[in-house]
Amino acid sequence: MIRSFTPRNRLAIDISMALRNKYPPMSCDTFVALPPATIDNRIIFGKNSDRPSDEVQEVVFFPAATYQPGDTVECTYIKIDQVGKTHAVVLSRPSWLWGAEMGANEHGVCIGNEAVWGKERQNNKEALLGMDLVRLGLERSETAENAVDILTNLLEKYGQGGNCIEDQVTFTYDNSFLIADKKEAWILETVGKYWAAERISEGVRNISNQLSITTKINKEHLELRSYAKNQGWWDGKTEFNFSAVYSYQNAADELDDRYCSGLQLLNKHKGNIRVETMMEILRDKESGINMEGGFTTTGSMVSILPVDSNLHCIHFFTATPYPERSVFKPFIFVQNMRQFLQTSSPSFGPDDPVKKIPRFQSKPDRRHALYKKHELAAPYMETKKKKASKMLQDIKALEKKQLETVEDVLQNGIPDTTKVVHIFSNCVAEEIAIYNI
């Protein structure tokens, strides 16, 4: 008898086999390009979030808020102490959890995270997820370096751990982060509670699913080197290389193809990188950066961070999988922002299976309005029918129109914020109209 598998069951088998072979599923790529690699004195940030293919990613906005002493915040699995003030944030996140895969705040800080595996055993105990750390870093930081300090303090106090997928199959990992603002970028890579951070002041940099910091370390855990020496991973005499010492495999021999391909794509366009360049890199299928299969690119983000402090940062999100068949829609932090209805998934409150113990006993329908329309249209766009071709042309035209609007904002400013306060939501509405087949 031939047994059929649902995508959910196939994913569980893929993950189980990968863990058994000590080669976890590879997913996600995050990029940054800084002058002089870019044009017009801008920093360009980008990320593909590669997640289980049946997972819904939503794009949500949360305004700045103030809190009282003693207040707490409930993250995905644990409650932690809240700070007195949080900043406004826009997030692209798997809709079942509190944190985010990527996002930005009102000060122009952008963060994306990657799953990494080091020599320390991953923590199955519920703590902060790397995605929780992304959101916490955005809500609490004003600069990229400030975010590094916030994330490492949270890591030290609460630790990282817990199931990273909405499934009874346990899948855990440590995290690396690419953090950028209008001045610089930082790479923060963690193995358990140990970490190293590298400052990037110019050129290009990317991270994937491997430790990438080598001998250039600008900040580090106080016991990073002594712990490695005590474990016999480092002799204490040769130059300390974080990736070589802490990777679970020989980093020099096991370079991830997507990491290398991503760096090659950045270097190919070095000196002329613009927002459209980053979008094309995220759409690149040959490199595997644009992923399909058990793990799929379920959401994408690109940001323009002008070095000029008087100019607005602009952030683009797809809120849908398959970036080559999606629209990058712009968002700008201005006054009177409201939550995005069409890209926000349903909320199940205390009845959510993620909140109940034992967790993940069922899986509700988390699809938002845009996701549903895109889900119906995506396979249709793969055909060669005339109407499918017209649909692809229309979404490309919509994106081009948004890029032209954004360039006008960057060149001329925003004399009237009411014209851009709903720019993301209005673009979503236009995209949905295109998908009405």
Side-chain angles (χ1 to χ4, degrees):
M1 181 178 71
I2 299 176
R3 183 182 177 188
S4 62
F5 294 95
T6 65
R8 180 185 177 96
N9 288 334
R10 283 199 301 270
L11 174 63
I13 291 170
D14 289 345
I15 292 174
S16 296
M17 290 294 292
L19 292 176
R20 186 181 305 160
N21 293 322
K22 297 183 70 176
Y23 287 90
M26 296 300 180
S27 57
C28 292
D29 293 274
T30 310
F31 305 87
V32 69
L34 303 88
T38 62
I39 64 167
D40 297 327
N41 211 27
R42 301 168 184 174
I43 294 174
I44 307 294
F45 172 95
K47 176 181 173 177
N48 270 355
S49 172
D50 302 327
R51 300 281 303 169
S53 58
D54 62 343
E55 184 179 80
V56 177
Q57 193 147 156
E58 61 178 348
V59 173
V60 289
F61 167 80
F62 295 104
T66 57
Y67 300 91
Q68 298 299 315
D71 283 351
T72 60
V73 54
E74 186 174 357
C75 302
T76 303
Y77 296 130
I78 64 171
K79 288 183 180 180
I80 68 170
D81 295 333
Q82 184 57 284
V83 293
K85 179 182 179 181
T86 57
H87 307 303
V89 296
V90 59
L91 308 171
S92 185
R93 66 177 187 178
S95 55
W96 62 273
L97 50 70
W98 180 85
E101 279 278 289
M102 51 200 173
N105 72 17
E106 60 184 304
H107 298 289
V109 179
C110 297
I111 306 179
N113 82 308
E114 307 284 333
V116 293
W117 291 265
K119 288 179 179 175
E120 287 284 89
R121 181 182 293 274
Q122 280 69 50
N123 184 14
N124 291 335
K125 182 180 178 181
E126 292 182 349
L128 290 175
L129 294 178
M131 292 164 281
D132 294 334
L133 289 166
V134 168
R135 178 171 175 179
L136 289 165
L138 290 171
E139 288 188 339
R140 301 180 179 195
S141 69
E142 295 186 3
T143 67
E145 184 174 5
N146 182 210
V148 171
D149 296 337
I150 288 168
L151 293 184
T152 53
N153 287 335
L154 288 167
L155 185 65
E156 181 73 20
K157 186 173 183 179
Y158 299 104
Q160 60 180 323
N163 196 359
C164 299
I165 60 172
E166 187 185 12
D167 202 289
Q168 294 179 46
V169 174
T170 300
F171 178 46
T172 60
Y173 47 76
D174 292 325
N175 292 266
S176 67
F177 305 87
L178 198 162
I179 309 166
D181 61 19
K182 302 180 77 166
K183 176 184 175 183
E184 61 188 10
W186 284 79
I187 307 296
L188 170 62
E189 297 184 336
T190 71
V191 177
K193 72 174 185 178
Y194 301 98
W195 58 271
E198 176 187 352
R199 178 176 177 264
I200 313 297
S201 58
E202 63 178 16
V204 297
R205 188 70 155 82
N206 63 313
I207 59 174
S208 193
N209 298 112
Q210 62 186 66
L211 300 180
S212 63
I213 295 174
T214 56
T215 58
K216 183 191 173 187
I217 302 174
N218 297 99
K219 296 189 177 192
E220 64 186 73
H221 188 281
L222 289 175
E223 300 174 357
L224 181 72
R225 301 182 191 223
S226 61
Y227 182 74
K229 187 176 179 181
N230 291 338
Q231 294 295 309
W233 302 338
W234 178 54
D235 61 13
K237 299 176 182 178
T238 56
E239 185 177 24
F240 184 81
N241 181 315
F242 175 68
S243 175
V245 170
Y246 272 87
S247 291
Y248 77 99
Q249 57 192 13
N250 188 326
D253 293 338
E254 298 292 345
L255 286 174
D256 178 28
D257 287 342
R258 285 183 299 102
Y259 172 80
C260 295
S261 296
L263 186 58
Q264 289 173 359
L265 288 169
L266 286 172
N267 283 322
K268 177 182 177 181
H269 299 283
K270 202 170 181 178
N272 196 39
I273 295 175
R274 59 190 74 206
V275 64
E276 294 93 335
T277 311
M278 191 65 75
M279 291 176 181
E280 288 307 307
I281 289 174
L282 297 185
R283 285 169 166 151
D284 191 273
K285 281 200 163 186
E286 184 177 352
S287 63
I289 290 167
N290 178 5
M291 185 176 289
E292 290 192 39
F295 273 55
T296 294
T297 299
T298 57
S300 303
M301 170 186 174
V302 174
S303 292
I304 305 172
L305 311 176
V307 174
D308 186 343
S309 60
N310 295 313
L311 298 178
H312 283 79
C313 297
I314 301 174
H315 314 283
F316 296 81
F317 298 91
T318 61
T320 51
Y322 314 115
E324 79 282 8
R325 303 194 294 274
S326 296
V327 177
F328 280 92
K329 298 165 282 292
F331 169 88
I332 306 172
F333 282 98
V334 292
Q335 296 296 317
N336 302 315
M337 293 297 307
R338 298 178 182 177
Q339 185 57 276
F340 310 137
L341 298 179
Q342 303 279 49
T343 60
S344 296
S345 295
S347 175
F348 300 94
D351 293 327
D352 196 308
V354 177
K355 297 297 182 184
K356 294 182 176 180
I357 305 295
R359 304 190 195 276
F360 309 122
Q361 297 304 296
S362 61
K363 193 170 184 179
D365 185 353
R366 301 187 186 275
R367 296 175 299 164
H368 50 74
L370 175 61
Y371 187 97
K372 289 179 180 179
K373 289 292 186 179
H374 184 270
E375 185 178 39
L376 290 173
Y380 188 81
M381 284 189 282
E382 290 183 335
T383 70
K384 296 182 179 180
K385 294 180 180 179
K386 184 176 181 180
K387 192 170 183 180
S389 177
K390 175 67 163 54
M391 187 181 296
L392 284 168
Q393 291 175 7
D394 287 346
I395 66 172
K396 289 179 181 178
L398 174 59
E399 184 174 279
K400 182 180 179 181
K401 182 177 75 172
Q402 303 305 312
L403 288 166
E404 291 171 351
T405 299
V406 161
E407 192 58 38
D408 182 67
V409 166
L410 289 168
Q411 295 292 335
N412 303 307
I414 307 176
D416 183 0
T417 59
T418 61
K419 294 184 178 180
V420 297
V421 67
H422 300 306
I423 189 172
F424 180 83
S425 297
N426 290 342
C427 187
V428 170
E430 291 186 59
E431 185 179 3
I432 287 176
I434 293 171
Y435 296 147
N436 282 328
I437 55 177

mmCIF file of all heavy atoms in Angstrom, residues 150-176:
data_model
loop_
_atom_site.group_PDB
_atom_site.id
_atom_site.type_symbol
_atom_site.label_atom_id
_atom_site.label_comp_id
_atom_site.label_asym_id
_atom_site.label_seq_id
_atom_site.Cartn_x
_atom_site.Cartn_y
_atom_site.Cartn_z
ATOM 1 N N ILE A 150 21.729 45.024 24.037
ATOM 2 C CA ILE A 150 20.437 44.584 24.580
ATOM 3 C C ILE A 150 20.256 43.080 24.392
ATOM 4 O O ILE A 150 19.868 42.358 25.316
ATOM 5 C CB ILE A 150 19.289 45.374 23.911
ATOM 6 C CG1 ILE A 150 19.293 46.822 24.414
ATOM 7 C CG2 ILE A 150 17.935 44.710 24.177
ATOM 8 C CD1 ILE A 150 18.403 47.746 23.627
ATOM 9 N N LEU A 151 20.540 42.585 23.205
ATOM 10 C CA LEU A 151 20.363 41.161 22.921
ATOM 11 C C LEU A 151 21.289 40.304 23.776
ATOM 12 O O LEU A 151 20.875 39.252 24.295
ATOM 13 C CB LEU A 151 20.617 40.874 21.439
ATOM 14 C CG LEU A 151 19.621 41.464 20.441
ATOM 15 C CD1 LEU A 151 19.951 41.001 19.029
ATOM 16 C CD2 LEU A 151 18.194 41.093 20.780
ATOM 17 N N THR A 152 22.537 40.720 23.938
ATOM 18 C CA THR A 152 23.465 39.910 24.724
ATOM 19 C C THR A 152 23.112 39.935 26.208
ATOM 20 O O THR A 152 23.273 38.924 26.901
ATOM 21 C CB THR A 152 24.913 40.379 24.505
ATOM 22 O OG1 THR A 152 25.023 41.783 24.755
ATOM 23 C CG2 THR A 152 25.349 40.092 23.077
ATOM 24 N N ASN A 153 22.593 41.052 26.698
ATOM 25 C CA ASN A 153 22.137 41.101 28.087
ATOM 26 C C ASN A 153 20.932 40.197 28.309
ATOM 27 O O ASN A 153 20.835 39.495 29.325
ATOM 28 C CB ASN A 153 21.798 42.541 28.479
ATOM 29 C CG ASN A 153 23.028 43.408 28.663
ATOM 30 O OD1 ASN A 153 24.109 42.897 28.957
ATOM 31 N ND2 ASN A 153 22.886 44.707 28.482
ATOM 32 N N LEU A 154 20.003 40.198 27.350
ATOM 33 C CA LEU A 154 18.841 39.314 27.448
ATOM 34 C C LEU A 154 19.259 37.849 27.376
ATOM 35 O O LEU A 154 18.722 37.000 28.093
ATOM 36 C CB LEU A 154 17.846 39.634 26.324
ATOM 37 C CG LEU A 154 17.073 40.948 26.457
ATOM 38 C CD1 LEU A 154 16.392 41.288 25.141
ATOM 39 C CD2 LEU A 154 16.037 40.858 27.576
ATOM 40 N N LEU A 155 20.200 37.557 26.511
ATOM 41 C CA LEU A 155 20.716 36.193 26.375
ATOM 42 C C LEU A 155 21.334 35.719 27.683
ATOM 43 O O LEU A 155 21.120 34.579 28.120
ATOM 44 C CB LEU A 155 21.736 36.146 25.244
ATOM 45 C CG LEU A 155 22.306 34.783 24.849
ATOM 46 C CD1 LEU A 155 21.227 33.893 24.279
ATOM 47 C CD2 LEU A 155 23.438 34.965 23.839
ATOM 48 N N GLU A 156 22.085 36.594 28.309
ATOM 49 C CA GLU A 156 22.733 36.256 29.578
ATOM 50 C C GLU A 156 21.706 36.032 30.687
ATOM 51 O O GLU A 156 21.840 35.114 31.507
ATOM 52 C CB GLU A 156 23.696 37.382 29.974
ATOM 53 C CG GLU A 156 24.448 37.153 31.263
ATOM 54 C CD GLU A 156 25.540 36.111 31.147
ATOM 55 O OE1 GLU A 156 25.979 35.832 30.006
ATOM 56 O OE2 GLU A 156 25.956 35.568 32.187
ATOM 57 N N LYS A 157 20.655 36.841 30.697
ATOM 58 C CA LYS A 157 19.673 36.786 31.785
ATOM 59 C C LYS A 157 18.668 35.661 31.619
ATOM 60 O O LYS A 157 18.300 34.977 32.590
ATOM 61 C CB LYS A 157 18.947 38.127 31.883
ATOM 62 C CG LYS A 157 18.002 38.238 33.077
ATOM 63 C CD LYS A 157 17.447 39.644 33.206
ATOM 64 C CE LYS A 157 16.545 39.771 34.444
ATOM 65 N NZ LYS A 157 16.022 41.160 34.599
ATOM 66 N N TYR A 158 18.201 35.438 30.382
ATOM 67 C CA TYR A 158 17.089 34.506 30.164
ATOM 68 C C TYR A 158 17.462 33.273 29.343
ATOM 69 O O TYR A 158 16.738 32.277 29.363
ATOM 70 C CB TYR A 158 15.926 35.221 29.476
ATOM 71 C CG TYR A 158 15.369 36.360 30.284
ATOM 72 C CD1 TYR A 158 15.648 37.684 29.948
ATOM 73 C CD2 TYR A 158 14.551 36.130 31.390
ATOM 74 C CE1 TYR A 158 15.135 38.738 30.682
ATOM 75 C CE2 TYR A 158 14.027 37.179 32.135
ATOM 76 C CZ TYR A 158 14.323 38.480 31.781
ATOM 77 O OH TYR A 158 13.814 39.524 32.516
ATOM 78 N N GLY A 159 18.539 33.335 28.595
ATOM 79 C CA GLY A 159 18.919 32.213 27.753
ATOM 80 C C GLY A 159 18.067 32.107 26.504
ATOM 81 O O GLY A 159 17.067 32.811 26.335
ATOM 82 N N GLN A 160 18.477 31.216 25.600
ATOM 83 C CA GLN A 160 17.700 30.954 24.387
ATOM 84 C C GLN A 160 17.368 29.471 24.331
ATOM 85 O O GLN A 160 18.185 28.633 24.713
ATOM 86 C CB GLN A 160 18.465 31.394 23.141
ATOM 87 C CG GLN A 160 19.809 30.701 22.918
ATOM 88 C CD GLN A 160 20.522 31.186 21.662
ATOM 89 O OE1 GLN A 160 19.900 31.462 20.644
ATOM 90 N NE2 GLN A 160 21.853 31.307 21.750
ATOM 91 N N GLY A 161 16.170 29.153 23.848
ATOM 92 C CA GLY A 161 15.777 27.749 23.760
ATOM 93 C C GLY A 161 14.287 27.596 23.564
ATOM 94 O O GLY A 161 13.512 28.533 23.725
ATOM 95 N N GLY A 162 13.901 26.372 23.207
ATOM 96 C CA GLY A 162 12.501 26.056 22.950
ATOM 97 C C GLY A 162 12.275 25.672 21.510
ATOM 98 O O GLY A 162 13.110 25.919 20.630
ATOM 99 N N ASN A 163 11.137 25.052 21.257
ATOM 100 C CA ASN A 163 10.795 24.598 19.912
ATOM 101 C C ASN A 163 10.605 25.784 18.980
ATOM 102 O O ASN A 163 9.851 26.710 19.278
ATOM 103 C CB ASN A 163 9.522 23.752 19.959
ATOM 104 C CG ASN A 163 9.329 22.938 18.695
ATOM 105 O OD1 ASN A 163 10.129 23.003 17.766
ATOM 106 N ND2 ASN A 163 8.262 22.162 18.648
ATOM 107 N N CYS A 164 11.248 25.738 17.828
ATOM 108 C CA CYS A 164 11.234 26.864 16.891
ATOM 109 C C CYS A 164 10.237 26.694 15.758
ATOM 110 O O CYS A 164 10.192 27.530 14.848
ATOM 111 C CB CYS A 164 12.631 27.076 16.325
ATOM 112 S SG CYS A 164 13.865 27.480 17.580
ATOM 113 N N ILE A 165 9.458 25.610 15.762
ATOM 114 C CA ILE A 165 8.424 25.418 14.757
ATOM 115 C C ILE A 165 7.110 25.055 15.436
ATOM 116 O O ILE A 165 7.099 24.564 16.565
ATOM 117 C CB ILE A 165 8.793 24.330 13.726
ATOM 118 C CG1 ILE A 165 9.016 22.984 14.414
ATOM 119 C CG2 ILE A 165 9.991 24.749 12.900
ATOM 120 C CD1 ILE A 165 9.181 21.835 13.434
ATOM 121 N N GLU A 166 6.015 25.305 14.757
ATOM 122 C CA GLU A 166 4.683 25.020 15.290
ATOM 123 C C GLU A 166 4.344 23.556 15.014
ATOM 124 O O GLU A 166 3.577 23.223 14.122
ATOM 125 C CB GLU A 166 3.643 25.943 14.642
ATOM 126 C CG GLU A 166 2.255 25.827 15.259
ATOM 127 C CD GLU A 166 1.223 26.669 14.526
ATOM 128 O OE1 GLU A 166 1.517 27.169 13.423
ATOM 129 O OE2 GLU A 166 0.111 26.810 15.062
ATOM 130 N N ASP A 167 4.933 22.683 15.816
ATOM 131 C CA ASP A 167 4.773 21.259 15.567
ATOM 132 C C ASP A 167 5.178 20.496 16.817
ATOM 133 O O ASP A 167 5.958 20.984 17.635
ATOM 134 C CB ASP A 167 5.656 20.828 14.383
ATOM 135 C CG ASP A 167 5.163 19.550 13.737
ATOM 136 O OD1 ASP A 167 5.295 18.485 14.378
ATOM 137 O OD2 ASP A 167 4.662 19.613 12.610
ATOM 138 N N GLN A 168 4.649 19.281 16.965
ATOM 139 C CA GLN A 168 5.040 18.441 18.091
ATOM 140 C C GLN A 168 6.464 17.913 17.936
ATOM 141 O O GLN A 168 7.082 17.486 18.908
ATOM 142 C CB GLN A 168 4.049 17.283 18.244
ATOM 143 C CG GLN A 168 2.652 17.739 18.637
ATOM 144 C CD GLN A 168 1.672 16.590 18.766
ATOM 145 O OE1 GLN A 168 1.974 15.567 19.372
ATOM 146 N NE2 GLN A 168 0.492 16.749 18.186
ATOM 147 N N VAL A 169 6.984 17.922 16.730
ATOM 148 C CA VAL A 169 8.391 17.599 16.510
ATOM 149 C C VAL A 169 9.231 18.743 17.071
ATOM 150 O O VAL A 169 8.989 19.914 16.775
ATOM 151 C CB VAL A 169 8.692 17.427 15.009
ATOM 152 C CG1 VAL A 169 10.194 17.229 14.782
ATOM 153 C CG2 VAL A 169 7.915 16.255 14.449
ATOM 154 N N THR A 170 10.202 18.429 17.902
ATOM 155 C CA THR A 170 11.032 19.468 18.513
ATOM 156 C C THR A 170 12.191 19.830 17.598
ATOM 157 O O THR A 170 12.961 18.967 17.168
ATOM 158 C CB THR A 170 11.573 18.994 19.875
ATOM 159 O OG1 THR A 170 10.469 18.714 20.738
ATOM 160 C CG2 THR A 170 12.432 20.076 20.514
ATOM 161 N N PHE A 171 12.309 21.103 17.294
ATOM 162 C CA PHE A 171 13.355 21.614 16.408
ATOM 163 C C PHE A 171 13.942 22.860 17.060
ATOM 164 O O PHE A 171 13.269 23.883 17.192
ATOM 165 C CB PHE A 171 12.746 21.932 15.044
ATOM 166 C CG PHE A 171 13.718 22.513 14.047
ATOM 167 C CD1 PHE A 171 14.967 21.956 13.860
ATOM 168 C CD2 PHE A 171 13.351 23.600 13.278
ATOM 169 C CE1 PHE A 171 15.846 22.485 12.930
ATOM 170 C CE2 PHE A 171 14.224 24.136 12.344
ATOM 171 C CZ PHE A 171 15.470 23.579 12.170
ATOM 172 N N THR A 172 15.177 22.774 17.515
ATOM 173 C CA THR A 172 15.797 23.891 18.227
ATOM 174 C C THR A 172 17.094 24.306 17.552
ATOM 175 O O THR A 172 17.729 23.507 16.851
ATOM 176 C CB THR A 172 16.109 23.510 19.688
ATOM 177 O OG1 THR A 172 17.014 22.404 19.704
ATOM 178 C CG2 THR A 172 14.841 23.127 20.436
ATOM 179 N N TYR A 173 17.477 25.551 17.771
ATOM 180 C CA TYR A 173 18.738 26.033 17.229
ATOM 181 C C TYR A 173 19.184 27.271 17.991
ATOM 182 O O TYR A 173 18.400 27.914 18.706
ATOM 183 C CB TYR A 173 18.636 26.348 15.733
ATOM 184 C CG TYR A 173 17.440 27.172 15.296
ATOM 185 C CD1 TYR A 173 17.390 28.551 15.521
ATOM 186 C CD2 TYR A 173 16.372 26.586 14.627
ATOM 187 C CE1 TYR A 173 16.318 29.306 15.092
ATOM 188 C CE2 TYR A 173 15.290 27.334 14.197
ATOM 189 C CZ TYR A 173 15.257 28.699 14.429
ATOM 190 O OH TYR A 173 14.180 29.445 14.010
ATOM 191 N N ASP A 174 20.459 27.595 17.851
ATOM 192 C CA ASP A 174 20.978 28.870 18.317
ATOM 193 C C ASP A 174 20.785 29.890 17.196
ATOM 194 O O ASP A 174 20.267 29.558 16.124
ATOM 195 C CB ASP A 174 22.448 28.743 18.702
ATOM 196 C CG ASP A 174 22.652 27.873 19.929
ATOM 197 O OD1 ASP A 174 21.788 27.908 20.831
ATOM 198 O OD2 ASP A 174 23.668 27.150 19.992
ATOM 199 N N ASN A 175 21.232 31.113 17.432
ATOM 200 C CA ASN A 175 20.907 32.174 16.483
ATOM 201 C C ASN A 175 22.087 33.082 16.182
ATOM 202 O O ASN A 175 22.940 33.335 17.039
ATOM 203 C CB ASN A 175 19.775 33.043 17.035
ATOM 204 C CG ASN A 175 18.464 32.295 17.104
ATOM 205 O OD1 ASN A 175 17.652 32.358 16.187
ATOM 206 N ND2 ASN A 175 18.229 31.581 18.189
ATOM 207 N N SER A 176 22.103 33.551 14.946
ATOM 208 C CA SER A 176 22.965 34.670 14.583
ATOM 209 C C SER A 176 22.055 35.808 14.119
ATOM 210 O O SER A 176 20.918 35.578 13.683
ATOM 211 C CB SER A 176 23.959 34.286 13.483
ATOM 212 O OG SER A 176 23.291 34.032 12.262
#
